[in-house]
Amino acid sequence: MGYQIHSSHPQILLKIPITKPKHPIFQTKTLVPTSSYNQAQQSTTISTIKPDTYNVKFKTSGACKLGISRYPDFEYNAQGGEGNGVGKKMVGVDFNGETSVDFDFKTLYIPSLTTATTKFLGLPLPPFLKIAIVPEIFRGIINLESGKVDLKFKAKFWFSMGSIYKAPPLLVETLLTSEESKGSIRSGKGERLDEQGSCKLVGVATVEPIDDFLMNSFLDLPTECLAILNATITFSKDEELTVNS
């Protein structure tokens, strides 16, 4: 399995030695001096490359599912969700192909469950119902060789009915994984990253009671919830030029 990491700079001005990684996911370019630079200019220009640090892009897509308690799953179209993060290659004999990834939760956007995005029992949610998702943590490990993904996800789910009713947030904390996630009443199986960066992430979480009798009774809290997200995760590598005076 191979994944492409794209450079945001198509050309570097100097030829420098680069050790070629073993896995085809990492692509290195031949660095050739530009003819417009003379010998003196070339001698004062140094190319600084950070081969072990990456920009990471996360996008959610359609055909997702969210379920809670023993109720049937919500059919959820998460198209348009996105986030940006930083990946750092983990060094050591025990970290073969593993990269730690940390997404900026302040700019991470996941679409709300509304009548436009969500169906329950084949019917759209009523227009006045809304469940907003506010992420607090999204980070973990992605293996760029095997495609395995394990990302800790923590978010508050805000349930509201127009301006009439707004419940305290439900706190959901789970491990979104490309492997299998299994609880006592809920379970799901994910899919690892393919060559285009597509994957299916699943996570089972326990939802604790909140200070709201209606929600606690309706959802039978504490209970389990299940998230199934189809997503795309892509990596790009920055190459920077610095000039010594």
Side-chain angles (χ1 to χ4, degrees), residues 56-73:
V56 187
K57 186 77 173 180
F58 175 82
K59 291 185 178 181
T60 53
S61 56
C64 303
K65 291 184 178 181
L66 292 173
I68 188 165
S69 188
R70 298 186 184 275
Y71 290 108
D73 293 338

Side-chain angles (χ1 to χ4, degrees), residues 35-217:
S35 58
S36 61
Y37 277 71
N38 59 32
Q39 187 68 28
Q41 288 174 314
Q42 291 179 19
S43 64
T44 60
T45 306
I46 300 177
S47 176
T48 302
I49 300 181
K50 301 176 181 179
D52 297 335
T53 302
Y54 311 99
N55 294 321
V56 187
K57 186 77 173 180
F58 175 82
K59 291 185 178 181
T60 53
S61 56
C64 303
K65 291 184 178 181
L66 292 173
I68 188 165
S69 188
R70 298 186 184 275
Y71 290 108
D73 293 338
F74 291 95
E75 299 174 32
Y76 173 47
N77 182 1
Q79 185 78 38
E82 62 180 0
N84 295 299
V86 176
K88 295 183 179 180
K89 184 178 179 182
M90 302 177 71
V91 179
V93 294
D94 297 329
F95 304 115
N96 189 19
E98 291 186 340
T99 298
S100 65
V101 176
D102 194 351
F103 290 94
D104 181 6
F105 71 89
K106 294 180 181 179
T107 60
L108 178 63
Y109 167 69
I110 298 179
S112 301
L113 280 73
T114 65
T115 187
T117 64
T118 310
K119 292 182 178 181
F120 183 69
L121 296 176
L123 298 175
L125 287 184
F128 54 87
L129 286 181
K130 179 180 179 180
I131 304 175
I133 304 173
V134 182
E136 294 187 345
I137 295 175
F138 194 40
R139 60 172 178 254
I141 304 296
I142 298 177
N143 191 307
L144 297 178
E145 294 193 4
S146 67
K148 182 181 178 181
V149 180
D150 286 317
L151 296 173
K152 180 180 179 180
F153 178 72
K154 181 180 179 181
K156 289 181 178 178
F157 285 61
W158 294 87
F159 180 91
S160 61
M161 299 175 60
S163 58
I164 301 173
Y165 171 74
K166 185 175 182 178
L170 298 173
L171 185 62
V172 175
E173 186 172 354
T174 187
L175 182 71
L176 288 175
T177 180
S178 59
E179 310 308 292
E180 184 177 18
S181 184
K182 195 170 185 179
S184 58
I185 63 173
R186 287 285 188 168
S187 64
K189 186 173 179 59
E191 296 176 3
R192 295 188 177 191
L193 286 169
D194 63 16
E195 293 183 356
Q196 286 72 45
S198 298
C199 62
K200 178 186 290 185
L201 303 179
V202 301
V204 174
T206 298
V207 183
E208 298 294 341
I210 58 175
D211 188 18
D212 188 286
F213 176 78
L214 177 62
M215 289 296 288
N216 289 343
S217 301

